[in-house]
């Protein structure tokens, strides 16, 4: 529309002016952050492919090479330990060298370890390829990776995105466990190992072409936030990781989060994933039926984690954790009464519930790390994740010892239920950080 505007000096009418509002540059309908999140999801699935393999290969390797199950188990233990201990250092390396470079190297390490195992002839090679290379690779793509992506690319919907990315690990095992099991059964363990290597390599081009280290790299603000310049890369990644641990260790929330998350690992990976099948078999249940129940846990794990992320965006993370741990503990107290030769509805209810609660603790735990430790939260969460793996390893070992001593797993379920109750109390006593206090781990909370 054309309008005439008077000249303020002469009072005469000026030339017509176009009064139509100026158009803003068009923005993409889908924020780039969602593309980065999608690539992260696929990357974690590719890395999770290996986690579905070791349990399938124990018997074939024992049969072919004559290695003891202890030797094979040691390689898997190295992998689990490095998975937990690598995470905080990987987060610091991502700050120093960028997410894209670190993830590409990590995927390459997983592929190299899985592929090299095809030609191994000695157990020390198994520990090198499976334990060291794959452990370092998968650890670099653990939860600290998703935490770094979420912190940089999202302000709104952080809890939801955390839940989705956490569920990626379970999704990967749901995809690759039946596939690898079929390959091992039909074609042997070597083609299955090659399949895992190819799964990791296929993801590399997607990471390199679509992943970006920071929203400022493409001139965008984080999703739901305001534009900020990309920070200067940090130097001394390893030293910084240790320094952040020492600073965080001076604060109460760190020990409460690490302790409760260690119990989380103890009551999931260490307890149910390791001892549920033999315990069910003690009561006459077929191993295939018990293993199928574990697969059902994986299905509901995805649903529960995403829903927990949605809840974390809306409710107090401390209270959510307390509810999760309390309900988990109560369910474990009832588990000995549910064991039977056949699968009955109460057992199915337990499996569904435990699946929903399996890693529902991750989004609120990460939210509390973010609240208390700000820019360092991804590295702090990496150390909290390391405690998760330590708790899992301890209970995996002690649960077996208890079975040998007492002749049943009942005491293990009761003790784990009590541990979950203590985790609920830990979550409740974490103090909220006032909004005006700086988020620095060097300040005790």
């Amino acid at each position: 529309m054309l309008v005439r505007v008077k000249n303020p000096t002469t009072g005469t009418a000026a030339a017509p002016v176009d009064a139509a509002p100026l158009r803003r540059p068009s923005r993409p309908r889908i924020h780039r952050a969602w593309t980065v999140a999608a690539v992260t999801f696929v990357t974690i699935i590719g890395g999770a492919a290996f986690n579905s393999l070791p349990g399938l290969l124990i018997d074939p390797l024992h049969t072919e090479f004559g290695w003891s199950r202890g030797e094979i188990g040691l390689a898997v233990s190295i992998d689990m330990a490095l998975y937990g201990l690598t995470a905080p250092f990987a987060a610091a390396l991502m700050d120093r060298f960028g997410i894209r470079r670190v993830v590409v190297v990590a995927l390459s390490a997983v592929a190299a370890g899985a592929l090299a195992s095809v030609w191994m002839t000695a157990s020390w090679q198994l520990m090198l390829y499976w334990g060291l290379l794959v452990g370092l690779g998968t650890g670099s793509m653990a939860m600290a990776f998703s935490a770094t992506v979420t912190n940089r690319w999202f302000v709104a919907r952080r809890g939801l995105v955390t839940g989705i990315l956490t569920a990626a690990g379970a999704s990967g095992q749901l995809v690759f466990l039946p596939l690898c099991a079929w390959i091992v059964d039909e074609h042997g363990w070597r083609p299955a190992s090659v399949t895992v290597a190819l799964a990791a390599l296929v993801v590399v081009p997607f990471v390199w072409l679509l992943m970006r280290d920071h929203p400022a790299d493409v001139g965008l603000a984080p999703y739901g936030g305001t534009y900020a310049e990309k920070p200067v890369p940090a130097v001394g990644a390893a030293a910084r990781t240790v320094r952040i641990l020492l600073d965080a260790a001076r604060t109460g929330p760190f020990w409460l989060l690490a302790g409760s998350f260690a119990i989380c690992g103890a009551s999931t990976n260490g307890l149910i994933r390791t001892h549920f099948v033999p315990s069910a078999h003690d009561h006459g249940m077929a191993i295939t039926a018990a293993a199928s129940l574990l697969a059902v846990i994986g299905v509901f794990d995805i649903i529960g984690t995403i829903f927990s992320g949605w809840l974390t965006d809306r409710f107090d993370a401390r209270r959510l954790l307390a509810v999760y741990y309390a309900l988990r503990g109560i369910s474990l107290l009832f588990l000995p009464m549910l064991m039977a030769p056949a699968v009955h509805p109460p057992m199915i209810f337990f499996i569904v519930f435990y699946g929903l609660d399996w890693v529902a603790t991750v989004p609120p735990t990460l939210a509390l790390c973010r609240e208390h430790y700000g820019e360092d939260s991804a590295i702090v969460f990496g150390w909290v994740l390391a405690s998760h793996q330590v708790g899992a390893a301890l209970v995996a070992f002690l649960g077996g010892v208890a079975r040998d001593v007492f002749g049943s797993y009942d005491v293990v379920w009761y003790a784990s239920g009590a541990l979950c109750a203590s985790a609920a109390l830990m979550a409740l006593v974490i103090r909220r950080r006032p909004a005006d206090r700086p988020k620095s781990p060097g300040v005790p909370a």
Side-chain angles (χ1 to χ4, degrees):
M1 178 180 68
L2 297 179
V3 297
R4 293 183 177 274
V5 181
K6 287 187 177 182
N7 188 312
T9 304
T10 63
T12 60
V17 178
D18 188 352
L22 295 175
R23 293 183 178 179
R24 295 182 177 180
S26 61
R27 294 182 179 178
R29 296 181 116 186
I30 300 178
H31 195 283
R32 181 64 176 270
W34 294 107
T35 301
V36 173
V39 174
T40 304
F41 187 91
V42 173
T43 302
I44 296 173
I45 287 179
F50 182 84
N51 293 331
S52 64
L53 195 58
L56 300 174
L57 302 190
I58 292 176
D59 286 337
L61 292 176
H62 173 72
T63 301
E64 178 172 337
F65 296 106
W67 299 336
S68 70
R69 287 176 173 81
E71 289 176 296
I72 300 172
L74 179 58
V76 178
S77 298
I78 294 172
D79 169 69
M80 290 182 62
L82 287 177
Y83 181 91
L85 296 174
T86 300
F89 292 96
L93 288 173
M94 288 176 189
D95 287 344
R96 175 66 179 89
F97 299 105
I99 299 173
R100 186 167 57 165
R101 292 178 182 176
V102 172
V103 172
V104 166
V105 172
L107 288 168
S108 301
V110 171
L115 194 59
S117 66
V118 172
W119 294 283
M120 64 186 175
T121 57
S123 60
W124 68 264
Q125 294 171 325
L126 177 70
M127 297 173 194
L128 174 62
Y129 302 148
W130 277 21
L132 183 63
L133 284 178
V134 176
L136 291 173
T138 55
S140 298
M141 295 179 292
M143 295 177 190
F145 167 42
S146 60
T148 302
V149 170
T150 306
N151 287 352
R152 292 187 183 182
W153 281 92
F154 290 88
V155 174
R157 302 291 186 269
R158 276 179 170 171
L160 176 62
V161 175
T162 300
I164 293 173
L165 296 182
T166 303
S171 301
Q173 293 190 50
L174 284 176
V175 170
F176 285 100
L177 184 58
L179 174 62
C180 291
W182 176 82
I183 293 174
V184 170
D185 188 50
E186 295 292 328
H187 304 286
W189 67 270
R190 286 181 175 85
S193 190
V194 171
T195 300
V196 170
L198 293 177
L201 289 176
V202 164
V203 181
V204 169
F206 292 96
V207 174
W208 191 255
L209 294 175
L210 300 177
M211 178 69 73
R212 292 296 180 269
D213 296 330
H214 195 277
D217 290 341
V218 289
L220 292 175
Y223 182 80
T226 57
Y227 180 84
E229 293 292 338
K230 183 177 180 179
V232 178
V235 296
R240 177 171 176 250
T241 301
V242 175
R243 175 182 58 79
I244 289 174
L245 169 64
L246 295 176
D247 287 343
R250 296 166 51 201
T251 68
F254 173 79
W255 292 107
L256 292 170
L257 289 169
S260 60
F261 216 46
I263 293 173
C264 177
S267 56
T268 51
N269 293 346
L271 181 65
I272 296 296
R273 182 169 289 171
T274 305
H275 296 296
F276 177 80
V277 171
S279 178
H281 189 59
D282 283 348
H283 289 78
M285 185 181 293
I287 292 177
T288 52
S292 298
L293 290 175
L294 280 185
V296 174
I297 284 181
V299 174
F300 286 94
D301 174 17
I302 299 172
I303 300 171
T305 307
I306 295 175
F307 184 56
S308 176
W310 183 84
L311 291 174
T312 302
D313 288 330
R314 290 160 175 79
F315 299 99
D316 186 342
R318 300 172 306 158
R319 290 184 171 87
L320 287 177
L321 281 179
V323 171
Y324 295 158
Y325 286 125
L327 292 177
R328 184 183 298 184
I330 292 172
S331 68
L332 288 172
L333 295 178
F334 281 97
L335 183 56
M337 294 180 281
L338 304 180
M339 291 292 185
V343 178
H344 297 293
M347 175 60 81
I348 295 176
F349 177 81
F350 170 85
I351 291 296
V352 171
F353 171 78
Y354 220 83
L356 293 172
D357 192 66
W358 187 268
V359 287
T361 54
V362 172
T365 299
L366 180 53
L368 289 169
C369 285
R370 190 180 298 119
E371 175 184 333
H372 285 274
Y373 305 106
E375 294 297 325
D376 294 333
S377 61
I379 298 176
V380 173
F381 181 73
W383 286 114
V384 172
L385 175 61
S387 73
H388 182 281
Q389 295 300 103
V390 171
L394 285 173
V395 170
F397 169 69
L398 294 176
V401 173
R403 171 64 178 81
D404 292 335
V405 173
F406 298 104
S408 90
Y409 281 100
D410 289 358
V411 67
V412 179
W413 307 126
Y414 296 139
S416 298
L419 281 175
C420 289
S422 65
L425 293 175
M426 289 182 192
L428 286 176
V429 299
I430 297 175
R431 296 180 181 178
R432 296 300 303 268
R433 176 175 290 280
D436 58 343
R437 286 182 60 184
K439 295 181 180 180
S440 169
V443 180

